[in-house]
Amino acid sequence: MSALVCVARIGAAHGVRGAVKLWTFTEDPFAIKRYGPLLSKDGKRQFEVATAREARDHLVATFKGVTTRDEAERLNGIELYVAREKLPATDEDEYYHTDLIGLAAVTTDGDALGRVLAIHNFGAGDIIEIAPLKGTTMLLPFSNAVVPEVDLTGGRVVIALPQEVEGEDGGEDLSEPSPRTRGPITTGRGFWLSC
């Protein structure tokens, strides 16, 4: 089976006829209807969206075969996945998290730093988390200045460790995150989120 990418998470039941709140991680929230059956993380269960409508910060959706509130409540928290090849191709400088997690991280001199552990965005810009060979994890801005090269074929990211300058309130990072985003499933340099 090909790699699975998380595209949505089922939330609480909505109403009494089997609808649920559905949080999608796709640029177009309604794209989840075009991917065909969605899979549970283990690939053993399939879910097909029957209806979906936009709500405040999520969708309200129904799934084929789920018709009661009790059935809908049992789905709360399930993450929904699709096979990687069903997703659209990425643009230049845009990546799916699943393609980056696990890549080797090296310095601009080619020295090993560790591996990409995760990609985050806590609201102040995109962060790449590196698990070093020893020591605590590093959280670095995912910007062109700090991550000048992503080599998916070679299985690595190049990290230019940022310099810090003493300011009034201690160290200040001078690297500026890239302003490019493409909807709620991308971050900074063009990451596509996955669960």
Side-chain angles (χ1 to χ4, degrees):
M1 176 183 275
S2 81
L4 295 177
V5 177
C6 184
V7 293
R9 181 178 41 82
I10 300 173
H14 181 87
V16 296
R17 295 193 176 117
V20 295
K21 294 178 180 179
L22 185 65
W23 277 267
T24 63
F25 310 125
T26 54
E27 183 177 12
D28 170 12
F30 294 98
I32 59 159
K33 292 182 75 173
R34 296 190 294 269
Y35 296 139
L38 305 170
L39 303 171
S40 59
K41 188 172 187 173
D42 61 9
K44 293 181 180 177
R45 295 179 68 187
Q46 288 190 1
F47 300 87
E48 193 168 343
V49 177
T51 65
R53 66 177 170 83
E54 200 164 6
R56 188 175 191 195
D57 60 349
H58 58 279
L59 297 179
V60 173
T62 59
F63 294 101
K64 290 185 179 176
V66 178
T67 58
T68 68
R69 183 176 181 86
D70 287 342
E71 292 170 333
E73 285 175 347
R74 287 192 289 272
L75 302 179
N76 191 1
I78 294 177
E79 294 172 340
L80 301 175
Y81 293 76
V82 297
R84 170 68 174 84
E85 65 266 7
K86 287 187 175 185
L87 296 174
T90 57
D91 292 333
E92 184 180 339
D93 221 18
E94 189 173 70
Y95 312 95
Y96 288 104
H97 283 202
T98 192
D99 294 340
L100 298 169
I101 294 171
L103 292 182
V106 299
T107 66
T108 53
D109 295 330
D111 299 328
L113 277 177
R115 295 225 167 262
V116 176
L117 187 61
I119 310 302
H120 306 285
N121 188 319
F122 302 112
D126 307 305
I127 305 291
I128 185 167
E129 184 175 1
I130 307 293
L133 301 173
K134 51 184 163 174
T136 59
T137 61
M138 293 183 277
L139 296 173
L140 301 167
F142 189 80
S143 65
N144 289 328
V146 177
V147 187
E149 182 182 345
V150 175
D151 180 3
L152 294 178
T153 306
R156 69 184 194 138
V157 294
V158 175
I159 305 292
L161 293 171
Q163 300 296 313
E164 291 190 52
V165 174
E166 281 297 315
E168 290 179 11
D169 54 357
E172 184 179 331
D173 183 22
L174 296 178
S175 57
E176 195 173 304
S178 169
R180 291 184 37 203
T181 60
R182 201 178 113 187
I185 62 158
T186 62
T187 62
R189 229 176 123 171
F191 279 111
W192 287 58
L193 300 179
S194 60
C195 299

